[in-house]
């Protein structure tokens, strides 16, 4: 067994804030090809999961010596295994556990054992006293409900991939993550979105002000700790974060969009002169004409409503409301002073932003 690390990124700056250590098993050495969860399930079945967890924890604690400056290290522990004296000792034998984050993966509840919850809280109190932080995994799914959140009062709350997947196109997930973020913030904690796999998901989470993120779109697990992300990705994150700060203006709501002259592959359609001709309207039906009278495409399109990045939300909402009924739900197209498309603004996002402002 070895431990690889996946960067955890600060979503306001693009800087690497920490690393999650992930167990990997060498199929060449063992002759067994299986995913890590299968190995841990087998260890649980044969009654040696505690010994395996001791190896993981001990290795992770030692890895703090090679951490880049101003970063932390997260290690996963099943809560019920913290009730095992061997696992608890692997942590508590150290007087200093600073820069370590103990991530509780709620696949089995410690509370299922007699007196388990009280014993777990006692171990966690001792771990905190040594400088470690506590994270709760898979918030919003499984056992990790509000009762556990209130009992554990973690420093970090990880949002499960189920909540993150497709969040850029799902207003309900968008709202749920926002509510969870407010709750965790009131508890003086940080939200960490895991399993971010697309640029759209990343942009939406940055716009929501989620503090930390990890996932394949940022960086994959590796045997060596990645000190920083690529320049282009960092620049994108900082641009999106800058827009989010301008919450009174349209720029804060802009999402990236595919722009081009091919109706089959773009969301914002350009003419031969480079000007915007139409915007894809998923809620409309049938083809319509653009301002020049030509049929754009037999799929759903609407005439573009162009808005400036510095336009106020109220002003844009008034303009959007004057469109034809069949076009009211179409995204707005944000363009800069030269007419270059910056991105699109979803009407749903505009309404949510206005409700907050009022």
């Amino acid at each position: 067994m070895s431990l690889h690390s996946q960067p955890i990124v600060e979503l306001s700056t693009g800087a690497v804030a920490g690393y999650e250590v992930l167990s990997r098993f060498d199929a060449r050495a063992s002759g067994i090809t299986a995913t890590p969860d299968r190995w841990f399930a087998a260890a649980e079945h044969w009654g040696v999961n505690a010994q395996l967890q001791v190896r993981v924890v001990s290795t992770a604690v030692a890895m703090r010596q090679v951490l880049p400056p101003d970063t932390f290290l997260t290690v996963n522990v099943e809560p019920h295994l913290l009730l095992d004296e061997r696992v608890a000792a692997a942590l508590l034998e150290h007087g200093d556990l600073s820069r370590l984050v103990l991530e509780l993966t709620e696949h089995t509840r410690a509370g299922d054992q007699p007196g388990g919850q009280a014993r777990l809280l006692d171990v966690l109190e001792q771990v905190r006293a040594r400088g470690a932080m506590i994270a709760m995994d898979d918030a919003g799914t499984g056992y990790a409900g509000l009762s556990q959140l209130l009992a554990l009062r973690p420093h970090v709350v990880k949002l499960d991939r189920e909540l993150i997947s497709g969040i850029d196109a799902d207003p309900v997930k968008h709202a749920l993550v926002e509510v969870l973020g407010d709750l965790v913030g009131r508890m003086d904690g940080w939200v960490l979105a895991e399993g971010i796999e697309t640029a759209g998901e990343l942009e939406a989470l940055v716009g929501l002000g989620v503090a930390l993120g990890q996932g394949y779109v940022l960086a994959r697990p590796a045997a060596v700790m990645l000190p920083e992300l690529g320049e282009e990705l960092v620049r994108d994150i900082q641009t999106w974060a800058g827009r989010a700060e301008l919450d009174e203006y349209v720029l804060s709501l802009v999402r990236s969009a595919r722009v081009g002259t091919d109706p089959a592959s773009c969301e914002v359609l350009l003419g031969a002169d480079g000007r915007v001709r139409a915007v894809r309207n998923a809620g409309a039906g049938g083809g319509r004409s653009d301002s020049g009278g030509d049929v754009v495409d037999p799929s759903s399109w609407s005439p573009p409503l162009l808005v400036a990045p510095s336009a106020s939300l109220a002003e844009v909402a008034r303009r959007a409301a004057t469109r034809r009924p069949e076009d009211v739900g179409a995204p707005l197209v944000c363009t800069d002073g030269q007419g270059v498309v910056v991105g699109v603004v979803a009407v749903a996002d505009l309404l949510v932003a206005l409700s907050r402002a009022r």
Side-chain angles (χ1 to χ4, degrees):
M1 185 201 75
S2 62
L3 294 184
H4 285 202
S5 60
Q6 183 176 30
I8 296 171
V9 177
E10 189 176 84
L11 295 186
S12 60
T13 65
V16 174
Y19 304 85
E20 179 180 0
V21 293
L22 301 166
S23 300
R24 294 293 182 264
F25 296 86
D26 190 345
R28 293 171 298 179
S30 65
I32 301 172
T33 302
T35 56
D37 61 314
R38 293 285 300 279
W39 279 93
F40 281 96
E44 181 72 22
H45 175 77
W46 292 106
V48 293
N49 204 4
Q51 294 95 307
L52 182 56
Q53 189 69 66
V54 167
R55 289 187 59 186
V56 172
V57 169
S58 300
T59 305
V61 171
M63 285 176 66
R64 293 179 301 159
Q65 301 301 318
V66 296
L67 271 176
D70 302 318
T71 60
F72 57 83
L73 194 70
T74 297
V75 59
N76 300 316
V77 179
E78 289 276 0
H80 74 287
L81 290 177
L82 282 175
L83 306 183
D84 188 290
E85 293 182 357
R86 293 165 294 182
V87 178
L91 289 164
L92 300 179
E93 68 182 5
H94 301 278
D96 177 17
L97 291 175
S98 58
R99 304 180 73 189
L100 185 73
V101 179
L102 202 62
E103 182 176 325
L104 304 181
T105 54
E106 283 284 61
H107 299 132
T108 305
R109 284 192 297 187
D112 291 340
Q113 302 183 26
Q117 186 73 2
R119 290 159 54 205
L120 171 64
L121 294 177
D122 179 63
V123 172
L124 294 181
E125 184 177 347
Q126 295 183 63
V127 168
R128 290 178 194 260
R130 288 164 169 76
M133 293 188 291
I134 305 300
M136 193 174 82
D137 194 19
D138 297 342
T141 64
Y143 291 120
L146 287 177
S147 60
Q148 281 294 85
L149 186 63
L150 294 172
L152 298 175
R153 301 296 173 99
H155 301 88
V156 179
V157 175
K158 296 189 73 172
L159 303 181
D160 185 71
R161 168 68 187 160
E162 184 178 331
L163 297 178
I164 303 306
S165 177
I167 189 173
D168 50 319
D170 191 329
V172 175
K173 289 184 178 181
H174 198 278
L176 181 56
V177 168
E178 191 171 36
V179 169
L180 286 171
D182 288 343
L183 174 61
V184 174
R186 289 173 181 267
M187 297 170 62
D188 293 327
W190 298 304
V191 168
L192 195 167
E194 64 178 341
I196 310 173
E197 295 187 354
T198 70
E201 293 167 357
L202 177 60
E203 184 178 354
L205 292 164
V206 172
L208 278 170
V210 173
L212 301 168
Q214 71 181 103
Y216 284 177
V217 73
L218 293 165
R220 291 176 176 267
V224 179
M225 294 181 183
L226 183 71
E228 58 186 23
L229 304 183
E231 291 183 6
E232 184 176 353
L233 182 54
V234 170
R235 190 163 50 247
D236 285 342
I237 291 172
Q238 292 176 349
T239 298
W240 296 331
R243 291 176 184 172
E245 292 178 0
L246 301 173
D247 56 5
E248 297 179 4
Y249 306 100
V250 163
L251 186 60
S252 66
L253 303 178
V254 172
R255 299 183 182 183
S256 57
R258 297 186 302 275
V259 181
T261 57
D262 180 10
S265 61
C266 66
E267 298 168 76
V268 179
L269 188 66
L270 303 180
D273 57 359
R275 301 181 65 178
V276 180
R277 293 178 60 196
V279 60
R280 189 179 295 279
N281 182 2
R288 287 190 298 281
S289 301
D290 66 358
S291 56
D294 299 322
V295 173
V296 175
D297 195 73
S299 60
S300 302
W301 293 87
S302 289
L305 174 55
L306 306 183
V307 297
S310 59
S312 71
L313 301 182
E315 171 196 343
V316 170
R318 284 193 293 269
R319 290 180 58 196
T322 64
R323 294 185 290 181
R324 298 181 305 177
E326 60 266 35
D327 297 321
V328 167
L332 316 176
V333 181
C334 183
T335 58
D336 63 16
Q338 285 72 47
V340 177
V341 176
V342 178
V344 296
V345 176
V347 173
D349 291 344
L350 177 60
L351 293 176
V352 170
L354 277 173
S355 69
R356 285 201 220 100
R358 300 301 177 186

